[in-house]
Amino acid sequence: LAPAGDLNSFLAAVAAGADAVYLGLKHFSARMQANNFSITDLAAMGELARKKDVKLYVALNSMLKPGDLSAAGRLMDRLQKSVSPDALIVQDLACVELARQVGFDGELHVSTLANVSNPEALKLFPSLGVSRVVLPRELNVDEIRMMQEACPPDLDLEVFVHGALCF
């Protein structure tokens, strides 16, 4: 799984044999200062990813304010229709239900920014339709191990291995 902050990073990840690439949009992305992508950009990238058997994960990993729900829903609907990403990475748990309401049929991953750091919390996610939780970067190896030991069998865990920044 490789991050892609621009088209060259995406193409490099695909060429290097990444199984999956994650990236952000111009809206509802935690990395608003990055050169994030438009849905039009992602549609072409999604076609290439499918041809190369690379999964495409789209991060909608910012907090939703009370007035943001309908705009986020419209964006998810456009994503589903134009790009059909394999997964959405969300921070705000309202996005989990919202994605299903708009007909998103891919996987739902909970972002590292949601700070799921207690093993007991992991039990909740399969019932919500979440298939993966990205653990907070602040956890040490022993804490990650405790999370893994408590993880339900129908939930995957993901851990950043390169530090606190996405390159």
Side-chain angles (χ1 to χ4, degrees):
L1 173 61
D6 58 33
L7 181 58
N8 288 336
S9 298
F10 172 79
L11 295 172
V14 171
D19 297 313
V21 177
Y22 71 94
L23 37 78
L25 291 164
K26 295 188 183 294
H27 301 286
F28 300 112
S29 171
R31 298 176 64 221
M32 294 304 292
Q33 301 303 318
N35 267 350
N36 291 322
F37 302 96
S38 69
I39 290 183
T40 303
D41 296 333
L42 285 187
M45 295 164 70
E47 286 182 38
L48 177 61
R50 280 186 287 284
K51 285 180 186 173
K52 299 289 187 177
D53 200 27
V54 175
K55 292 184 177 183
L56 188 66
Y57 301 162
V58 176
L60 298 175
N61 59 346
S62 63
M63 294 182 291
L64 295 183
K65 294 181 180 175
D68 291 340
L69 212 53
S70 61
R74 287 191 302 274
L75 183 63
M76 287 181 198
D77 183 52
R78 287 185 58 215
L79 266 173
Q80 175 66 27
K81 291 175 179 169
S82 302
V83 180
S84 193
D86 296 284
L88 296 178
I89 305 170
V90 301
Q91 173 185 6
D92 194 307
L93 293 182
C95 287
V96 172
E97 178 62 23
L98 187 59
R100 297 303 181 214
Q101 287 176 5
V102 301
F104 180 73
D105 59 5
E107 294 180 12
L108 293 170
H109 300 178
V110 173
S111 170
T112 184
L113 298 173
N115 292 314
V116 180
S117 57
N118 188 300
E120 288 299 310
L122 295 174
K123 297 174 185 175
L124 169 71
F125 292 106
S127 67
L128 297 176
V130 170
S131 59
R132 178 177 297 174
V133 171
V134 186
L135 296 178
R137 297 173 183 131
E138 295 80 8
L139 297 182
N140 64 40
V141 173
D142 291 332
E143 292 165 332
I144 293 169
R145 186 176 297 112
M146 287 186 343
M147 296 293 281
Q148 183 273 325
E149 290 168 356
C151 188
D154 50 351
L155 183 69
D156 292 333
L157 296 181
E158 181 181 316
V159 178
F160 279 79
V161 295
H162 54 69
L165 297 175
C166 303
F167 293 99

